[in-house]
Structure formats: structure tokens, C-alpha cells
Amino acid sequence: MFTLLLSGWSGIGLYRVYHLLRKKRLLFDDHFTLVICMSITMLASFLFSMYTILLFPDLYAASLLLGIWIGWKFGALLRTPAQLTGLYNGAMGGAMGTMFGAVLQNPALCRIPVESAAAVDLYSIPFVAACFYSCVLLSIRHSLRL
Amino acid sequence: MKEITLAYLLAIDLLLYSILFVYVFRRKKLIGIQLGMNISQVMGGVAALLAGIVFILLFPFHFTLITIISAAIGVAAGAAFGLLFDYQTCLAGLTNGFIVGLMAPMLGSVLDMPGQLIWFIHGLFLFCILFIVISIQRS
């Protein structure tokens, strides 16, 4: 339930930034396009593939494909050379998020000692990641105004 | 003895980081935007990697807290090196430091023989510093 709320929050933020970038996509230079594409694609695909693994523990391939799809959409939004960056970073973030979600669900994969395996809960790290992600989205919206 | 060695290594890393920060700060007018972005990304990532692996070996029973702390260290290092140059550079370094900082404690807790990997990562760190100093002097 908590994961569902977090994913809804992140999804709404991502959708609003997508529309904002779509409205203003003719204003960017190359450097800005590269940075925006890299940072937002990596974080968003990481977070959403982690949520997918936490919600549906069996869909490994689907979460990886979700990361690649996010990268593809953002790259296609901005410019053609940015599409390569977006695709690469989306695949990277998707693979990392899948791994992280699997470790959070089953801490014995990572040989965390048994006494502290109860201390690894499913909620605190995704919550911190979602807070950081919304801070990055805010700073991207701020950097559009500079 | 092992913990004392790890603590000394952390102190040496912190010292090297501050020396490199002062060095880059005094020459930041000479550094272009491309090199600035590379410096910020590399330094954020390596700081998060070192902090995550060394902290998880020091305190193996606090996985969640160590993950958050190492992510915060990566974000702080990437942002500090990025703010010397540009706002967008800061954004790139911050994101890279965060992702590597979430991954590093996982790598550290899987390890079988941690000594070799620790020396390898410190060698990588010194190598990165050497390359950054050379490329600053050439630019």
C-alpha cells in the first residue's frame, strides 16, 4: 500500500516534468539536454523498476523493460543524440533498480547477517529515494527558469 | 586492528578529498565545462563507493542506515564538486553520487575477501586523482 502511494507520487511528478519539458523543448542547448536526459532518466528508471519489483516480485523482465521504455521516451522527447544517452541510462537504472528491489525483498541474497535481516525493511530506503527524487525534479523545474 | 586500519583509511580519504577540493577551487577558472562535468561525476561516484564499502565493513549490522548515509555522502561530494562550476554540472554529479551510493553497501556486504577489493578501490581513487590533476594541468 505504502509502495503504491510512493509510486503514485513519483509518477505524478514525472508526468508533470514530462509535459513541462515537452512544452519548452525548443529552448535547450546541447549541454543542458545531455544533463537533463542523464539525470532524470537514471533516477526515474531506478525508482520505477524498484517499485515494480516490490509490487510484483516475479516480473524481472518487465521492470527492466520499464526502465528502458522511460529512457526511450525521454530521449525521443529531447533530441536524437540524447536518445542514445537516455536509452543507455534507462537500461542501467532499470538493471540496478531490479537488483536493489530483489535484495530488499530477500536480504539473504546479499549475505546480510541474520540478526539484522529483520532491520532491512521494505519502506525506509524507497521513501528516502522518493524524497530525493522529488528534490531533483524540483531543481530541474528551477533550472528551466534560470 | 582491522577496524583501526579502516578508520585510518577513511581519514586519509577525507584528507585527499579536501586537498583535491582546494586544488580544484583555486584553478576553477581554467577548467572547461566538459572537464568540470567529468570531475563532478567521478568524484561523487568514487566518494559514494569508498564510503559505502568501508562503512558496511565497519558496521555490518545496519544495512538500511549505512545505505542512506553513503547515498548522502555521494550526493554531498557530487554537489560540492559540481557547484564550483555550474548548476547543471551539480545536477549531474548529484544524481550519479546517489545511484552509486545506493549500490555500494550491497557490493560491500557480498564480499568474500574484502581486503583485496578495498586496496583495489583505493588504487582506483588515487588513479582518478592523478588523472584529474594531469588533465587540469594540460587544459
Side-chain angles (χ1 to χ4, degrees):
Chain A
M1 193 60 214
F2 189 67
T3 315
L4 212 58
L5 275 181
L6 280 184
S7 66
W9 179 27
S10 312
I12 289 171
L14 188 67
Y15 186 73
R16 288 177 61 195
V17 165
Y18 184 79
H19 265 267
L20 192 66
L21 288 180
R22 189 166 179 170
K23 235 191 298 179
K24 300 189 174 178
R25 66 181 153 179
L26 296 175
L27 303 177
F28 305 152
D29 57 342
D30 263 348
H31 184 67
F32 187 68
T33 306
L34 183 68
V35 169
I36 289 284
C37 194
M38 200 160 66
S39 58
I40 200 171
T41 301
M42 206 161 187
L43 263 181
S45 57
F46 180 86
L47 269 180
F48 283 102
S49 51
M50 187 168 70
Y51 292 148
T52 312
I53 282 292
L54 289 181
L55 287 175
F56 311 104
D58 296 330
L59 299 175
Y60 284 99
S63 65
L64 188 55
L65 285 179
L66 180 68
I68 295 176
W69 183 71
I70 290 176
W72 180 260
K73 287 299 280 183
F74 266 91
L77 175 68
L78 293 168
R79 212 164 288 174
T80 315
Q83 207 160 13
L84 189 61
T85 311
L87 199 64
Y88 169 70
N89 278 316
M92 206 71 183
M96 281 183 172
T98 309
M99 198 164 75
F100 201 81
V103 167
L104 277 188
Q105 278 201 331
N106 182 12
L109 274 182
C110 196
R111 278 196 231 158
I112 294 168
V114 183
E115 295 84 12
S116 75
V120 180
D121 53 14
L122 291 178
Y123 303 121
S124 56
I125 294 177
F127 181 67
V128 172
C131 287
F132 178 73
Y133 166 78
S134 55
C135 288
V136 166
L137 288 190
L138 273 184
S139 61
I140 283 176
R141 296 169 76 95
H142 176 66
S143 75
L144 284 176
R145 248 179 272 137
L146 284 180
Chain B
M1 185 252 166
K2 190 104 181 302
E3 283 81 8
I4 294 176
T5 315
L6 285 177
Y8 275 132
L9 279 177
L10 265 185
I12 291 172
D13 292 340
L14 198 60
L15 190 68
L16 281 176
Y17 257 94
S18 24
I19 290 173
L20 188 70
F21 188 79
V22 171
Y23 182 78
V24 175
F25 185 78
R26 291 173 69 178
R27 271 151 221 259
K28 70 176 175 181
K29 295 271 167 44
L30 302 177
I31 298 173
I33 202 163
Q34 195 78 46
L35 181 61
M37 201 165 133
N38 284 340
I39 286 176
S40 132
Q41 277 193 328
V42 166
M43 282 294 120
V46 173
L49 197 63
L50 284 173
I53 290 180
V54 173
F55 274 132
I56 201 73
L57 290 176
L58 273 178
F59 311 105
F61 295 104
H62 302 87
F63 181 74
T64 310
L65 194 61
I66 296 296
T67 305
I68 294 172
I69 287 176
S70 75
I73 288 175
V75 166
F81 274 92
L83 277 179
L84 293 180
F85 307 110
D86 200 355
Y87 190 81
Q88 302 161 12
T89 311
C90 168
L91 205 61
L94 196 136
T95 314
N96 203 36
F98 183 75
I99 295 285
V100 179
L102 283 185
M103 286 300 123
M106 216 150 71
L107 176 63
S109 58
V110 176
L111 291 180
D112 238 351
M113 286 184 286
Q116 299 168 358
L117 196 89
I118 285 179
W119 291 118
F120 171 70
I121 284 175
H122 280 84
L124 185 75
F125 174 52
L126 294 178
F127 202 65
C128 285
I129 287 181
L130 189 68
F131 256 86
I132 284 174
V133 170
I134 288 176
S135 55
I136 285 176
Q137 284 188 344
R138 277 190 185 173
S139 71

